[in-house]
């Protein structure tokens, strides 16, 4: 049964409005009695991922990517913090493998469960554009810009489109700057929801 605090984190409309999580993510959070702050955080990153992927489809229409995979990854990337709640307010990476294992236990296919690890391992060989987009959403939701991550995305996009890297950078920068501008509202929304019930 969902706690009142978690229910509020998952349904509070927000100001400006925050999109709801996909049903499967809500079911996982409910089944795991997730901390309310985790529910709020996942909603915020999912919301930013939705906006980011919409902007990508508009600006980089020739670039194939799986938008639904990105949205799923953003909605569950930190699920392992259910088992490591201290990492909701402090540093740590134990949640990454824990989240991957939790998702597998709940029957999530490996190609989707991977986001629990790849959102933080974006420098690893073999990461796909979808992994990089989840990582971007997980940074820019709070206004953080990571030059190395952004350069990986620029290189990937320029390689696919044939566009000059500097032009790709400018296009990406416009999108990320607009998303980062809403960080204060998102941080305030997350802070309204407690780590523990």
């Amino acid at each position: 049964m969902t706690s009142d605090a978690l229910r509020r984190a998952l349904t509070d409309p927000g100001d400006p409005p925050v999109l709801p999580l996909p049903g499967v993510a809500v079911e996982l959070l409910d089944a795991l009695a997730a901390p309310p702050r985790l529910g709020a955080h996942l909603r915020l990153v999912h919301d930013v991922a939705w906006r980011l992927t919409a902007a990508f489809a508009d600006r980089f229409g020739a670039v194939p990517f799986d938008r639904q995979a990105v949205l799923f990854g953003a909605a569950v990337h930190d699920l392992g913090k259910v088992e490591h709640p201290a990492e909701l307010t402090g540093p740590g990476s134990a949640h990454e493998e824990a989240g991957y294992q939790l998702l597998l236990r709940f029957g999530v296919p490996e190609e989707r469960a991977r986001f629990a690890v790849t959102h933080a391992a974006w420098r690893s060989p073999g990461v796909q554009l979808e992994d990089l987009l989840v990582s971007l959403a997980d940074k820019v939701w709070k206004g953080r810009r990571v030059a190395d991550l952004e350069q990986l995305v620029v290189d990937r996009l320029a390689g696919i489109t044939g566009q000059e890297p500097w032009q790709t950078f400018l296009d990406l920068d416009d999108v990320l700057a607009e998303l980062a501008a809403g960080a204060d509202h998102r941080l305030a929304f997350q802070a309204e929801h407690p780590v523990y019930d």
Side-chain angles (χ1 to χ4, degrees):
M1 177 179 229
T2 307
S3 73
D4 288 343
L6 178 58
R7 183 174 293 106
R8 279 192 304 277
L10 296 175
T11 61
D12 181 354
D15 183 24
V18 179
L19 292 172
L21 285 171
V24 65
V26 171
E27 291 169 17
L28 288 167
L29 291 167
D30 188 32
L32 294 166
R37 178 143 321 153
L38 177 59
H41 172 70
L42 292 175
R43 275 187 71 198
L44 292 165
V45 176
H46 171 265
D47 184 82
V48 167
W50 190 92
R51 296 171 197 284
L52 176 63
T53 55
F56 258 67
D58 182 49
R59 290 186 183 241
F60 304 104
V63 176
F65 71 97
D66 185 342
R67 186 178 192 201
Q68 292 309 310
V70 175
L71 295 177
F72 180 83
V76 301
H77 72 283
D78 273 349
L79 194 66
K81 290 184 180 182
V82 165
E83 294 185 356
H84 300 279
E87 294 182 14
L88 282 165
T89 56
S93 59
H95 73 277
E96 295 159 18
E97 182 64 23
Y100 176 73
Q101 294 302 327
L102 273 173
L103 288 165
L104 291 177
R105 276 200 308 271
F106 275 89
V108 173
E110 189 282 331
E111 67 267 13
R112 294 285 174 105
R114 76 176 195 263
F115 292 109
V117 174
T118 61
H119 78 276
W122 45 266
R123 289 184 178 99
S124 299
V127 297
Q128 299 172 21
L129 180 58
E130 290 81 2
D131 302 295
L132 297 175
L133 295 177
V134 171
S135 298
L136 273 180
D138 190 37
K139 304 296 186 219
V140 79
W141 80 271
K142 60 185 170 185
R144 185 165 174 223
R145 303 286 302 268
V146 179
D148 291 350
L149 173 58
E150 293 176 21
Q151 189 62 54
L152 284 174
V153 175
V154 165
D155 292 345
R156 191 78 54 102
L157 293 174
I160 294 168
T161 64
Q163 186 179 47
E164 290 293 331
W166 63 266
Q167 183 61 55
T168 303
F169 171 80
L170 291 176
D171 289 343
L172 180 64
D173 186 60
D174 285 347
V175 171
L176 296 178
E178 184 176 330
L179 289 170
D184 288 345
H185 292 290
R186 290 188 292 268
L187 286 163
F189 178 89
Q190 180 174 285
E192 291 171 8
H193 300 282
V195 175
Y196 302 103
D197 279 333

